[in-house]
Amino acid sequence: MRQYSADLTPPWKKPKPVPEVPADPGLVVEEPGSGFCGAVIRCEAGTVTLEDRFGKHRVFPMEPRGFLLEGRVVTLVRPASGPARPTRTASGSVAVPGARARVARAGRIYVEGRHDAELVEKVWGDDLRIEGVVVEYLEGVDDLPAIVSDFAPGPDARLGVLVDHLVPGSKEWRIAESVTSEHALVVGHPYIDIWEAVKPSALGIDSWPRIPHGQDWKTGVCRALGWPPNTGAAWQRILSGVHSYKDLEPELLGRVEELIDFVTAPA
């Protein structure tokens, strides 16, 4: 006796198969029902979490034919086991796996201290190596005029400088004005110290404490937060809370990006 299939749908009416795409972190897709578009940040228990360009998160079921990838319908599947390569650097730039560091440019970026240099390296290090930009640090903004003079910036050797607490009328402001030129750019953030450019939420605190004028700011911060009176250990605690650009205040992000663009611009 002949057996007949229970599926009586004509072949021309059956949906065409669509590609299965691993939901790797960083993959940008759209959920057509809501119009929500974002990058994959995690995949678990049959769901995928997307993050849009404003930092908003949405969780969606990983249903067949449930997403659009570059305008094409796809089915998202769990990525293969094992750690996936990051598709973004800590600064948010597109990662270039296996890229070799470029030979260092003549141009340089100077920051005000070791903590500033370590923070810039942690967030922008991958970008700086690809661009061949070296970051050095001053031992104080008072030395900046002599450093700029010795460096002699020009079209093929631009100099960018990041200064703490750069507010109009301050000593730092006057020094910056005196050395700025076509090939030397000095920018800054409004914070007393680079510590304060880290978002409090990244450290699990409500806000940075206000320290009375005349007191050592870092020592006062440690005291107010109940941390041991060791500023070196405090900095390592702060730095360990920074994982990407999202943990930094916009006033710092914009200035560092501006300096990188400036020193890497074609002559």
Side-chain angles (χ1 to χ4, degrees):
M1 189 176 200
R2 181 176 297 178
Q3 299 292 324
Y4 293 92
S5 170
D7 185 1
L8 301 179
T9 305
W12 60 88
K13 288 189 176 181
K14 292 182 179 180
K16 295 181 180 179
V18 300
E20 292 188 346
V21 178
D24 291 324
L27 180 74
V28 177
V29 294
E30 179 184 347
E31 199 284 319
S34 63
F36 189 90
C37 182
V40 173
I41 60 172
R42 73 177 64 89
C43 175
E44 55 191 3
T47 65
V48 62
T49 303
L50 305 182
E51 179 185 63
D52 71 8
R53 62 192 183 95
F54 302 108
K56 184 178 180 181
H57 291 185
R58 290 279 299 273
V59 180
F60 298 99
M62 292 172 59
E63 297 177 342
R65 308 173 64 88
F67 297 88
L68 298 178
L69 174 62
E70 297 179 349
R72 296 183 302 130
V73 177
V74 298
T75 297
L76 290 186
V77 296
R78 289 184 65 88
S81 59
R85 290 181 179 269
T87 56
R88 297 279 176 178
T89 67
S91 72
S93 301
V94 176
V96 186
R100 293 184 177 182
R102 174 175 173 162
V103 175
R105 297 172 181 264
R108 291 286 187 276
I109 291 177
Y110 273 84
V111 296
E112 198 164 338
R114 181 171 60 85
H115 292 178
D116 306 63
E118 290 176 352
L119 185 61
V120 169
E121 163 60 29
K122 185 163 188 178
V123 176
W124 288 275
D126 290 338
D127 308 60
L128 293 168
R129 279 182 283 279
I130 289 176
E131 294 290 350
V133 177
V134 174
V135 174
E136 301 184 30
Y137 63 87
L138 314 166
E139 287 295 345
V141 72
D142 292 337
D143 298 330
L144 186 55
I147 288 174
V148 174
S149 178
D150 291 343
F151 188 87
D156 296 314
R158 294 187 173 196
L159 180 64
V161 183
L162 179 69
V163 177
D164 295 343
H165 199 230
L166 190 63
V167 295
S170 65
K171 176 187 72 173
E172 292 83 1
W173 179 271
R174 292 191 294 272
I175 292 175
E177 290 287 295
S178 72
V179 300
T180 297
S181 68
E182 181 182 0
H183 305 301
L185 174 65
V186 182
V187 300
H189 56 76
Y191 305 112
I192 294 173
D193 189 271
I194 197 70
W195 289 19
E196 209 176 5
V198 177
K199 290 181 177 178
S201 58
L203 307 176
I205 61 177
D206 294 331
S207 62
W208 287 102
R210 289 184 173 274
I211 307 304
H213 184 70
Q215 292 187 20
D216 179 74
W217 189 83
K218 292 179 180 177
T219 302
V221 165
C222 291
R223 184 185 304 113
L225 294 176
W227 295 352
N230 181 328
T231 56
W235 170 243
Q236 292 307 313
R237 179 174 184 166
I238 294 166
L239 190 62
S240 67
V242 176
H243 303 288
S244 76
Y245 71 97
K246 297 178 183 179
D247 297 317
L248 303 180
E249 298 288 359
E251 290 84 354
L252 176 66
L253 295 174
R255 302 295 74 74
V256 175
E257 298 284 352
E258 185 179 357
L259 290 178
I260 294 173
D261 289 344
F262 179 77
V263 300
T264 59

